[in-house]
Amino acid sequence: LMGTFHSNYVDYLDHYGLFWIKPCLISFFQHQYSFYQALYCPTPFIQKQLGHPDKKFDLCTNVQVWGRGIDLERFNPKHRSMSFRAKYNIAPDEVVICFVGRLVFEKRPDIFAYVMRRLSRELETDGVKFRGLVVGCGPYETELQNCPNTVCTGWLSGEELATAYASSDIFLFPSALETFGNVTLEAASSGLPLVVESGCSGHLVKDGINGYACPEGDEESFLRGTLELVTDTSLRKQFSLASREHSFLYEKRAVMKQMLTNYETVTDEFYRRYNGSHNDRDDSLRDSYPQAFTYGKVERPCALRVFISCFVFVIQALFCMYMQFGCLFESLSRAISSVRSMGSPSPHKREEGMDDIEMGNVKSATATSSSKVNEPQGSPEMAPWKGISCIYRTSELVMMTVIVFLRIQSSLEYTLRTYFRGKNNRGEDYSSTRRKDTLEDFTDVVEGSGDSGQLRGRRRNIVEGEKVAAVIGV
């Protein structure tokens, strides 16, 4: 049994005020991953993140790297289309800055909006024409539609998406929570210079060669990289060629070949090292992975199922309450702001404040613009629980208590399951010898059956790694 890691759900919780659920989700993933012989993640950066002291997934199973591939024909600069640009009123001489993805906070569309506002202000008198192209849907769509020189296409897929990439000139993607960055690879394959976050997308950009790798949350860094590419045509063309060339390393057939090798390696280890027995594998795992089997050796103990059902119900109830009270508090906040605005400052100061808002740069009375730039750019919104760690630690303590109960119940359930299976002679390990007998049974059945195709398909489901097609004449 093996798995692949696709979405960083644990860190997503920081952006929705649900940080206190993280200990529950982490322990659940630790338990589930323990039953994987190998867990494949897309990049070394994510492999390191999975081994972070807060997660310790590398202490539950064998975490390896298996990347993603791209169809170089589908995402290709040759799909550039003037008719596509004309459809969205984009002039042929305008530099198009593209963003593709779900318009939610963790993708950092706020940084994209900040860059567009600043570019609009700084290039207003230089005669440089540019346009923002946002492909995707989500809660931030309305805000991005209000950005200057920006057009939103909504959700695109297939040929339309490939055309949108190829018809753009720069790819700006500030998200810091990508497991691989599929949209970044698609943009590179389409020949776009990249301005992306240096961590999760750093493997796809060579800083200063095919784009710029910016620190997480650093608005000024994203602005500088985008501004330089917008104003320098020759540099943009140079980066475009380098992006396309770099994408050749991720051609999908090579990646799929690596996947087949991974399957073969895991299957061969399972039958040769563990004799085709999950029990043998689980028994030997504790020595190598001390965090394995958080809830015991039962995949989903009865107590866990009850806990999850109750937990989901509580979360739904709390979410409904949050939405109701959130709307109430928002209305009260607006009312209070309206009352305070009656004593607002002079029109001149009010205009300055509006300029700051348009620039996406709301400043306090004591802070200066220079100090803002020098501040760490990992904004508090990215990890709100750090300011109220007592709640997080309390959640951890509660979860530790629940885990103790789950382990006791799981041990009892595992003991009873083993006893009854042994009593009914259904606990026999699936050894190589038993499997060989099964294959011989399949051979006899296939020779006397008219529906041999279906049986051959069933037979392939118990292949142990080596080629045994000759056994039944497939």
Side-chain angles (χ1 to χ4, degrees):
L1 183 63
M2 58 177 288
T4 55
F5 185 85
H6 293 274
S7 296
N8 198 353
Y9 290 114
V10 173
D11 290 337
Y12 284 171
L13 297 177
D14 284 340
H15 300 280
Y16 298 97
L18 299 175
F19 59 91
W20 51 275
I21 303 179
K22 290 176 71 173
C24 307
L25 201 59
I26 289 173
S27 65
F28 178 77
F29 284 151
Q30 285 177 341
H31 178 71
Q32 296 300 321
Y33 292 158
S34 300
F35 296 93
Y36 291 178
Q37 194 170 321
L39 176 66
Y40 289 94
C41 61
T43 67
F45 175 79
I46 295 298
Q47 184 184 34
K48 182 178 179 181
Q49 290 292 311
L50 294 180
H52 191 274
D54 284 345
K55 300 183 180 73
K56 300 179 182 179
F57 293 153
D58 60 333
L59 299 181
C60 305
T61 187
N62 182 20
V63 180
Q64 298 293 327
V65 176
W66 170 50
R68 302 287 186 268
I70 187 72
D71 188 337
L72 296 173
E73 286 299 317
R74 180 179 179 184
F75 297 97
N76 195 305
K78 69 181 182 181
H79 297 305
R80 189 176 181 88
S81 170
M82 290 298 107
S83 61
F84 176 87
R85 293 167 70 101
K87 177 181 177 181
Y88 295 100
N89 298 320
I90 300 174
D93 60 341
E94 284 185 312
V95 179
V96 177
I97 305 168
C98 182
F99 177 100
V100 178
R102 293 180 294 111
L103 304 183
V104 292
F105 182 76
E106 61 264 23
K107 301 293 183 182
R108 299 312 304 267
D110 58 312
I111 295 181
F112 182 88
Y114 171 83
V115 171
M116 296 305 297
R117 292 188 177 104
R118 287 289 302 273
L119 288 177
S120 180
R121 179 63 61 88
E122 296 187 13
L123 298 178
E124 184 178 7
T125 59
D126 294 341
V128 178
K129 298 180 180 179
F130 72 95
R131 185 69 67 92
L133 180 68
V134 178
V135 180
C137 297
Y140 275 81
E141 186 171 1
T142 302
E143 179 178 341
L144 292 173
Q145 287 174 343
N146 295 328
C147 287
N149 297 335
T150 302
V151 58
C152 296
T153 68
W155 186 263
L156 298 180
S157 60
E159 294 182 1
E160 283 188 317
L161 178 59
T163 302
Y165 280 121
S167 302
S168 303
D169 300 291
I170 300 169
F171 186 70
L172 172 59
F173 193 63
S175 173
L177 282 180
E178 301 300 299
T179 51
F180 179 79
N182 289 324
V183 293
T184 304
L185 179 56
E186 291 168 356
S189 181
S190 301
L192 299 186
L194 309 174
V195 184
V196 296
E197 194 269 336
S198 59
C200 58
S201 298
H203 59 290
L204 297 172
V205 59
K206 296 181 179 179
D207 191 52
I209 297 178
N210 71 328
Y212 296 107
C214 306
E216 176 184 349
D218 191 340
E219 297 173 339
E220 296 299 322
S221 180
F222 284 101
L223 173 63
R224 288 193 300 269
T226 307
L227 179 62
E228 186 170 356
L229 288 171
V230 169
T231 56
D232 193 333
T233 304
S234 60
L235 181 65
R236 196 165 63 244
K237 291 181 178 179
Q238 175 186 335
F239 281 13
S240 174
L241 294 174
S243 279
R244 175 66 178 174
E245 181 180 355
H246 186 60
S247 68
F248 293 161
L249 299 175
Y250 299 92
E251 200 277 328
K252 67 176 184 178
R253 285 175 293 185
V255 176
M256 295 301 291
K257 183 178 180 180
Q258 179 61 46
M259 180 194 71
L260 294 176
T261 302
N262 294 339
Y263 286 166
E264 182 179 358
T265 301
V266 171
T267 306
D268 182 71
E269 180 186 36
F270 180 67
Y271 283 100
R272 296 186 183 279
R273 182 175 178 181
Y274 304 116
N275 297 318
S277 170
H278 288 288
N279 289 334
D280 290 351
R281 184 258 174 190
D282 296 346
D283 291 338
S284 63
L285 197 66
R286 275 289 188 181
D287 298 333
S288 304
Y289 301 100
Q291 292 290 125
F293 306 114
T294 308
Y295 307 149
K297 291 185 179 180
V298 177
E299 297 85 350
R300 295 191 66 189
C302 293
L304 176 62
R305 299 179 187 183
V306 174
F307 174 76
I308 291 176
S309 299
C310 297
F311 186 77
V312 170
F313 173 79
V314 171
I315 290 297
Q316 290 177 334
L318 290 176
F319 180 76
C320 293
M321 294 174 61
Y322 170 78
M323 294 299 294
Q324 293 295 329
F325 285 104
C327 294
L328 176 62
F329 290 147
E330 184 178 358
S331 300
L332 290 175
S333 177
R334 289 179 178 177
I336 294 173
S337 298
S338 299
V339 173
R340 289 180 176 176
S341 64
M342 297 177 64
S344 59
S346 64
H348 177 69
K349 292 184 178 180
R350 188 182 301 115
E351 290 179 1
E352 290 180 352
M354 291 303 296
D355 288 342
D356 288 338
I357 294 175
E358 290 179 358
M359 295 281 287
N361 193 17
V362 181
K363 295 176 287 186
S364 65
T366 57
T368 63
S369 58
S370 58
S371 63
K372 180 180 184 299
V373 173
N374 294 328
E375 287 179 358
Q377 296 297 326
S379 57
E381 297 95 326
M382 297 298 292
W385 59 270
K386 290 183 178 179
I388 43 179
S389 58
C390 59
I391 299 179
Y392 184 79
R393 300 307 173 194
T394 302
S395 179
E396 279 188 323
L397 180 61
V398 172
M399 196 59 214
M400 288 174 61
T401 306
V402 172
I403 288 174
V404 171
F405 172 73
L406 287 173
R407 281 183 176 175
I408 296 174
Q409 190 275 324
S410 178
S411 298
L412 178 61
E413 185 176 343
Y414 182 78
T415 302
L416 293 174
R417 178 189 296 183
T418 304
Y419 171 77
F420 285 108
R421 281 183 176 177
K423 185 176 181 180
N424 296 322
N425 294 322
R426 293 199 299 265
E428 181 182 358
D429 288 341
Y430 193 75
S431 63
S432 299
T433 303
R434 182 186 172 196
R435 182 185 169 280
K436 181 178 178 181
D437 294 339
T438 305
L439 288 176
E440 291 175 352
D441 292 340
F442 266 105
T443 304
D444 296 337
V445 173
V446 169
E447 290 176 352
S449 173
D451 191 8
S452 60
Q454 181 180 0
L455 293 174
R456 286 170 182 166
R458 292 171 57 193
R459 198 275 315 165
R460 283 194 292 271
N461 291 333
I462 57 171
V463 170
E464 65 176 357
E466 72 273 12
K467 294 182 179 180
V468 294
V471 175
I472 58 174
V474 175

